[in-house]
Amino acid sequence: MKRFQSLKLKIFLPLLGILLVVFLTSSLVVIDRESKSVKESLIETATSYSSLSITSVIQNFVFYNESGFYKFTEVIDNLMKLNDNLLTIQIVNVNGKILFDSEEIQTGKYDERTYGERYLENTTLIQRAGDPTYSLFLDDETRRVDIIQPYFEDWGRHDYSVRYIFSLASLDTMTNEMIVTILLNTGIFIIVSFLLIFFLFNYFISSPIGELTKGVRRMSKGTLGYEVTIKSKDEIGELATAFNTMSNDLKISRDNLEEYSKNLEKLVAARTKELEEKTRRLEQINQDLTIAREELRGLNINLEGRVQERTREVEKLLKQKDEFINQLGHDLKNPLGPLINLIPLLEDKEADPAKKEMLTVLHRNADYMKNLVVKTLELAMLNSPNTRFSIEPLHLSEEIKQIINNKKILFDENHVKITSNIDPSLWIKADRLRFEELLTNIFENSVKYCQEECRITINAQLTNEYVTISITDTGIGMTQEEIGRVFDEFYKADSARHDIQNTGLGMSICRRIVEKHGGTIWVESPGPGKGTTVFFTFPVARAS
Amino acid sequence: MKKIMIVDDEKDQIYFIKTSFENLYGKDYMIIPAESGEKCFELLERQELPHLILLDIMMPKMNGWEVFDKIRATPSWKEIPIIFLTARTDEFAEHAGGLIAEDYIKKPIEIKELKARIDNVLKKKK
């Protein structure tokens, strides 16, 4: 409530001030005007009085002077009583000599004989006494009105003037009374209007606001739907109506919200339950999955174990196979030695042509069997993943020279002229035994398909990290079709001519050897009858 | 005349090499057979040293590698050139330092190639 009081103070104190200023100002204006008007009326009254009473005064005075005794003083007294404001009546002649002064009567001093001659106070007054026109002089200081009224007798002679001095003291009294009255009225008016405004303010604004405040407080404490009782149809009324509407709307909203909230809680509870259910199911699934994964892992381990076991078995079998082939190789190769060496001896010594012919057939077939056995086993060895190579740097020109030397018999018997143009600075990385085998196979082919004049030329060239070696012969050459099939196993250049010298495995062995060293091998030929060149590459070894 | 000792457990192998050499090259080569490593050492101790030894790898009891190692470890024998006789090419890859010998020859042996190799080795030795 203090706030509203302060609101009231804020409104009513300035209002009161304004009212006071307005009313005081207007009062002062009114007072000023009124006092002027009163003053004027007083002066008018005094003027008319003086003009009316002059004859009576002078005639009585003259009569008194001529007849001796007459109650002139009583006349003056009566005249004085006629006007409360009249202070003094003086009778003066045209020379300014005071013939009579009412004050002297009042003080008991009037006696012409004893009092002697007297004149007016100053020359201005004396002049005025002699002036045949009426004159009025207002002295605001002494609050007096000095009127000098000339008297003309029946014949128009001007001997006397009467001087009236009126007091304006009554004017002040009247003014004061007026001020008091006006202020009183104003005060009452202000208080009444103030109270009226206060009441109206209180009734129409303050208390509705208080009511509204109460409503707002209640609302803020949660009592929604509270309605304020303001019946007026002004703006406050509208505000109250709006407030009530808002309050009701809020109540409805809150009720709806509560309803919604309750529903939501139910919903959330339901959802939570659902979620818990799902989570539980998920956990169950998870557990199942974990178990399944465990089982799977177990199975996997089992499987891996079995795979490893099988791999080991296979490896073991492969090893056994290799071992078997090697053993077989040994066991097959050993008996061939005596056959291929002793049969030619007998053949040479035999004089009987029939027997010699038999030994020649034996010799040829023993050689063919030797070739077949050796090359088949070699190819099997090269095809086995377990075959290991012993790679070492080889001095290419020296190595080739050595191989040519070892095969000297082969070349000599077949009248083959062999030339090696290898740069002595070249070294390759190779397995020595396999390299020799490779070259031997190529040489044997060259010798086999030799024409009348047989030459073999060996060249080598370094390209990047590889040495390309070429072996060119002057043999029967090859067609493109033959070149395409030269590395096929059991392929023979001339299958029509059943050549028992040829197993058809030599070039396959060559390709396996070169590829096992990371190189490539290919064959070129200008055409049938124009010789053949076999190219192959080996990784270079930098001489240290 | 070159004295060539051949160490091989198979008598037929020794026989055909010896016979072939005698028939083809007459008195240029004398083949001294040794049926085992032990026999080889005995002959080496007892007789004049051969110019070259042909050594079979696959032998019972003492194999070719062991014989080779012992010969190389014996100061008076270590200079003798040795050519391995082998039926199995994988044996060299499996044996470290397989090519420390002067040469090798793969079985089945062709006498002409063997002679060429023997001549090459002996020529180099000189």
Side-chain angles (χ1 to χ4, degrees), chain A residues 327-338:
Chain A
Q327 192 57 49
L328 184 70
H330 182 261
D331 294 347
L332 281 175
K333 284 171 185 172
N334 264 358
L336 283 170

Side-chain angles (χ1 to χ4, degrees), chain A residues 322-323 326-327 329-331 333-342 345 348-349 367 370 374 378 381 387-390 392 398 402 405-409 413 431-434 436-437 444, chain B residues 8-10 12-13 15-17 19-21 23-25 56 58 86-95 99 103-104 106-117 120-121 123-124:
Chain A
D322 289 346
E323 183 58 35
N326 280 323
Q327 192 57 49
H330 182 261
D331 294 347
K333 284 171 185 172
N334 264 358
L336 283 170
L339 279 181
I340 60 166
N341 288 288
L342 294 179
L345 286 182
D348 283 350
K349 287 180 178 174
D367 270 354
K370 181 211 86 175
V374 168
E378 190 57 41
M381 277 298 298
T387 301
R388 276 173 290 175
F389 280 29
S390 166
E392 58 183 316
E398 194 58 41
Q402 191 72 46
N405 275 339
N406 289 341
K407 291 286 165 190
K408 197 170 181 301
I409 305 290
E413 282 178 351
D431 178 305
R432 173 174 274 151
L433 304 192
R434 307 289 180 188
E436 178 168 357
E437 199 176 335
E444 279 172 357
Chain B
D8 197 325
D9 59 307
E10 288 185 49
D12 282 359
Q13 296 292 319
Y15 172 76
F16 94 78
I17 291 169
T19 309
S20 296
F21 264 87
N23 274 279
L24 291 173
Y25 310 115
D56 184 34
M58 236 160 106
T86 174
R88 297 176 59 163
T89 42
D90 61 315
E91 284 167 331
F92 287 100
E94 276 169 17
H95 195 275
L99 295 180
D103 203 356
Y104 72 99
K106 281 192 282 182
K107 288 182 178 177
I109 293 161
E110 283 183 66
I111 291 299
K112 287 169 186 173
E113 191 189 336
L114 179 60
K115 185 202 171 260
R117 285 183 187 269
N120 280 341
V121 170
K123 206 165 125 190
K124 263 197 221 164

Side-chain angles (χ1 to χ4, degrees), chain A residues 267-526:
Chain A
L267 197 68
V268 165
R271 283 280 160 81
T272 310
K273 211 174 163 189
E274 216 172 287
L275 260 176
E276 279 169 358
E277 183 61 28
K278 279 186 179 167
T279 311
R280 209 163 45 237
R281 268 159 54 194
L282 258 176
E283 276 170 8
Q284 186 60 41
I285 288 171
N286 235 347
Q287 272 176 11
D288 290 354
L289 268 176
T290 312
I291 291 166
R293 204 167 51 210
E294 281 301 314
E295 282 174 5
L296 202 64
R297 207 169 63 185
L299 279 176
N300 251 342
I301 290 168
N302 230 348
L303 203 64
E304 257 172 48
R306 283 176 63 185
V307 165
Q308 278 174 4
E309 202 181 305
R310 286 305 297 272
T311 309
R312 274 199 299 273
E313 276 174 25
V314 168
E315 279 172 0
K316 197 175 152 195
L317 279 173
L318 275 175
K319 230 175 171 168
Q320 279 175 356
K321 188 200 83 175
D322 289 346
E323 183 58 35
F324 171 74
I325 288 171
N326 280 323
Q327 192 57 49
L328 184 70
H330 182 261
D331 294 347
L332 281 175
K333 284 171 185 172
N334 264 358
L336 283 170
L339 279 181
I340 60 166
N341 288 288
L342 294 179
I343 290 174
L345 286 182
L346 288 176
E347 191 189 350
D348 283 350
K349 287 180 178 174
E350 186 55 58
D352 180 1
K355 283 183 184 170
K356 195 178 178 82
E357 174 67 22
M358 279 191 268
L359 287 167
T360 308
V361 173
L362 278 179
H363 178 196
R364 196 164 62 219
N365 281 279
D367 270 354
Y368 179 57
M369 191 167 80
K370 181 211 86 175
N371 273 333
L372 205 58
V373 166
V374 168
K375 297 206 165 153
T376 305
L377 289 170
E378 190 57 41
L379 196 63
M381 277 298 298
L382 287 169
N383 282 332
S384 164
N386 292 326
T387 301
R388 276 173 290 175
F389 280 29
S390 166
I391 304 292
E392 58 183 316
L394 300 183
H395 188 204
L396 190 57
S397 60
E398 194 58 41
E399 198 65 30
I400 286 177
K401 191 179 150 197
Q402 191 72 46
I403 294 164
I404 292 170
N405 275 339
N406 289 341
K407 291 286 165 190
K408 197 170 181 301
I409 305 290
L410 176 72
F411 299 129
D412 288 351
E413 282 178 351
N414 292 282
H415 312 290
V416 174
K417 197 182 166 205
I418 185 157
T419 322
S420 171
N421 307 316
I422 309 290
D423 180 349
S425 69
L426 284 176
W427 286 68
I428 59 166
K429 280 189 270 191
D431 178 305
R432 173 174 274 151
L433 304 192
R434 307 289 180 188
F435 185 71
E436 178 168 357
E437 199 176 335
L438 166 70
L439 261 68
T440 304
N441 269 302
I442 296 171
F443 290 155
E444 279 172 357
N445 264 342
S446 287
V447 169
K448 203 177 297 164
Y449 297 111
C450 210
Q451 296 186 109
E452 280 158 26
E453 193 206 353
C454 205
R455 270 184 287 115
I456 295 174
T457 316
I458 306 164
N459 285 299
Q461 197 182 342
L462 177 65
T463 0
N464 296 329
E465 293 302 306
Y466 283 87
V467 177
T468 306
I469 300 155
S470 66
I471 298 175
T472 307
D473 64 40
T474 55
I476 60 169
M478 295 174 92
T479 63
Q480 285 304 306
E481 196 262 337
E482 286 168 339
I483 288 173
R485 295 182 59 195
V486 71
F487 294 110
D488 291 356
E489 284 169 19
F490 296 106
Y491 173 74
K492 293 171 187 174
D494 187 359
S495 53
R497 192 184 74 183
H498 186 69
D499 181 3
I500 60 159
Q501 290 295 311
N502 190 2
T503 58
L505 292 172
M507 290 311 280
S508 296
I509 290 170
C510 291
R511 190 178 70 171
R512 298 302 296 170
I513 291 171
V514 172
E515 283 173 357
K516 288 261 184 182
H517 284 85
T520 47
I521 181 166
W522 69 99
V523 171
E524 287 176 10
S525 173

Side-chain angles (χ1 to χ4, degrees), chain A residues 37-96:
Chain A
S37 126
V38 169
K39 193 167 139 190
E40 274 167 16
S41 89
L42 274 176
I43 291 168
E44 202 179 320
T45 312
T47 312
S48 65
Y49 174 84
S50 65
S51 63
L52 286 172
S53 68
I54 181 87
T55 312
S56 170
V57 171
I58 296 299
Q59 281 177 354
N60 278 304
F61 180 68
V62 171
F63 183 74
Y64 165 75
N65 275 348
E66 284 172 355
S67 66
F69 182 76
Y70 189 74
K71 285 194 177 171
F72 171 67
T73 55
E74 281 180 28
V75 173
I76 292 298
D77 263 354
N78 288 334
L79 282 172
M80 297 277 282
K81 276 170 192 165
L82 275 176
N83 194 315
D84 291 341
N85 294 328
L86 185 60
L87 290 174
T88 309
I89 300 174
Q90 287 179 338
I91 300 167
V92 292
N93 66 7
V94 292
N95 298 318

